[in-house]
Amino acid sequence: MSKTDMSSELDAFDRKIIEALSQDGRLSITDLSARIGLSKTPCQVRLKRLIDEGYILGFRAIVDAQKFGLDHIAFTEVKLSDTREAALSEFNSAVRKIREVEECHMIAGSFDYLLKVRTADIRRYRQVLGEKISSLPHVANTSTFVVMQAVKEYAR
């Protein structure tokens, strides 16, 4: 079943549940059911189905990274020396282990991956780049773009 087929199975109530929880994942069933206009039991059944079928992957707290002293964000382009499937798998597995890498995306373009890296400062970023990212399997070269201001994050 394709992604389009799966999303067509969602009705208006399912979409309202997903939208409401995307905005506030801490809504109680009572508040959620009131917000979408459905009684509690059917709302709870729908929510369970959306979770079981993988439409909702989980719930988490969004923390203020600055309060933890993690003010520095950099985006790192990574070009690999080998892009065969085995090399990509090795890179993917290794990059997942680097705590400072918040996001990693394979890119179609002049480089292979784009990493979002969060650290305390530029000195710490330099350490992560030199000791962790550059030593990942098959890394040929990197290029860094330092964030001056995060204007929008977390799809809000």
Side-chain angles (χ1 to χ4, degrees), residues 64-72 118-121:
D64 185 341
Q66 290 182 344
K67 291 190 187 240
F68 291 95
L70 299 172
D71 294 2
H72 186 268
R118 187 182 294 270
T119 57
D121 53 36

Side-chain angles (χ1 to χ4, degrees), residues 40-110:
K40 287 191 326 188
T41 300
C43 183
Q44 194 163 25
V45 168
R46 284 172 177 268
L47 176 57
K48 182 179 179 343
R49 180 181 53 79
L50 291 168
I51 293 168
D52 291 346
E53 292 180 1
Y55 289 100
I56 297 174
L57 299 177
F59 299 89
R60 64 181 176 171
I62 298 172
V63 299
D64 185 341
Q66 290 182 344
K67 291 190 187 240
F68 291 95
L70 299 172
D71 294 2
H72 186 268
I73 301 170
F75 285 90
T76 307
E77 294 178 353
V78 176
K79 178 81 173 149
L80 300 183
S81 58
D82 183 353
T83 56
R84 290 176 289 180
E85 201 56 43
L88 297 175
S89 284
E90 278 184 72
F91 178 87
N92 293 348
S93 179
V95 78
R96 287 184 184 107
K97 296 174 185 170
I98 300 176
R99 179 178 42 89
E100 295 86 354
V101 175
E102 286 189 346
E103 297 180 23
C104 175
H105 303 275
M106 182 185 280
I107 301 295
S110 60

Side-chain angles (χ1 to χ4, degrees), residues 20-29 31-32 59-62:
L21 291 174
S22 294
Q23 297 299 313
D24 183 358
R26 293 177 49 164
L27 285 173
S28 68
I29 286 295
D31 292 339
L32 179 61
F59 299 89
R60 64 181 176 171
I62 298 172

